Amino acid sequence: MTTSESTIRPDYAALMQAPVCAEPFTHIVVPHFIRKDDLPRLFASLPAIGSGGSFPPQSLKLSPLVQALVQEMEGPELRRIIAQKLDLDLESAPSMLTIRGRTREKDGRIHTDSTAKRVTILLYLNPAGPDWEKQEGCLRLLRSPHDIEDYAKEVRPVDGTLLVFPNGPTTWHGHKQFVGSRYTIQLNYMTEDAKARSELRRHKLSALAKKLPLPSMGY
């Protein structure tokens, strides 16, 4: 594999030019943050994830291309642009990145993110297709915590779309039930308080635990 084939550069210019929307809460959506020409090889390089839940990248066997994308997501350019667009000081904010490959029946319920997470960044890595036309698994930015149909915007989790929003007490979001393959890279810029430190410790322990071989159950 050549160097160009094992690297990937997101479309930072598109992020710079994307509007900051206010309804129902502050957010930014960037279609094709991963460029169209890069999507086929990236889709083909995603790790096999057969179970639900979030996985630290250290716990997965990642291709060089996905490793390069993770490095870009955790790098200074994305941080700088998001800080500028949201008018936040993120220079010293700890970060936490996880990868999801599958959505379960219980996933997608209406929620706000942990108060330890200052900013949530979601990068969706699924090919567009009929599954998403049915709206199942499409993230909805909601006006209230009570009704999944009371949404201001719906984001299809496809084709390298990036969603960014600062967390708050009214950043309600969720999706209609979907069971199946649904790849997402989630990056959070964290607070610097005790709750964030606790979450980061659990994140590191999770990476270690998920790398360990499961013990034999004897049956």
Side-chain angles (χ1 to χ4, degrees):
M1 182 178 290
T2 66
T3 301
S4 62
E5 290 174 336
S6 61
T7 60
I8 196 161
R9 181 170 173 79
D11 193 345
Y12 294 114
L15 174 58
M16 285 289 295
Q17 295 163 10
V20 179
C21 304
E23 177 64 22
F25 48 80
T26 300
H27 68 276
I28 304 165
V29 178
V30 186
H32 293 295
F33 184 60
I34 304 301
R35 294 176 175 86
K36 292 181 181 180
D37 289 347
D38 290 328
L39 287 171
R41 63 194 180 102
L42 182 55
F43 291 153
S45 299
L46 292 171
I49 302 177
S51 58
S54 298
F55 293 82
Q58 303 95 320
S59 69
L60 298 169
K61 186 175 181 180
L62 300 182
S63 68
L65 188 63
V66 176
Q67 288 177 355
L69 178 57
V70 166
Q71 290 174 0
E72 284 285 345
M73 294 290 290
E74 294 182 315
E77 189 161 8
L78 183 62
R79 182 187 292 259
R80 177 185 61 79
I81 295 171
I82 289 175
Q84 178 182 331
K85 292 188 72 70
L86 298 179
D87 194 23
L88 295 173
D89 180 3
L90 299 174
E91 186 174 353
S92 61
S95 65
M96 183 171 70
L97 185 144
T98 56
I99 301 174
R100 280 180 174 264
R102 190 167 185 83
T103 301
R104 305 160 292 189
E105 287 184 5
K106 67 179 183 179
D107 294 327
R109 296 171 184 170
I110 297 173
H111 66 286
T112 61
D113 287 348
S114 164
T115 57
K117 298 173 180 177
R118 291 181 64 190
V119 181
T120 292
I121 301 106
L122 298 168
L123 178 62
Y124 291 116
L125 299 175
N126 308 284
D131 278 349
W132 313 114
E133 299 297 336
K134 295 183 290 186
Q135 297 180 290
E136 299 167 356
C138 297
L139 192 73
R140 293 179 173 183
L141 309 187
L142 303 166
R143 299 185 179 93
S144 76
H146 307 298
D147 185 1
I148 195 69
E149 298 298 338
D150 185 18
Y151 62 96
K153 184 171 290 183
E154 183 176 73
V155 181
R156 290 199 301 160
V158 301
D159 290 350
T161 294
L162 186 77
L163 170 65
V164 181
F165 58 90
N167 290 313
T170 61
T171 55
W172 302 104
H173 55 283
H175 59 74
K176 295 171 71 174
Q177 187 180 92
F178 176 82
V179 177
S181 178
R182 185 178 181 274
Y183 277 86
T184 312
I185 293 179
Q186 177 169 331
L187 173 68
N188 291 101
Y189 298 126
M190 310 292 285
T191 61
E192 297 179 69
D193 56 17
K195 185 171 184 179
R197 289 195 295 272
S198 177
E199 287 202 23
L200 288 164
R201 281 196 299 270
R202 288 200 301 272
H203 177 72
K204 291 178 181 177
L205 289 172
S206 175
L208 177 62
K210 288 176 178 177
K211 286 180 72 173
L212 296 175
L214 294 174
S216 171
M217 301 303 294
Y219 56 83

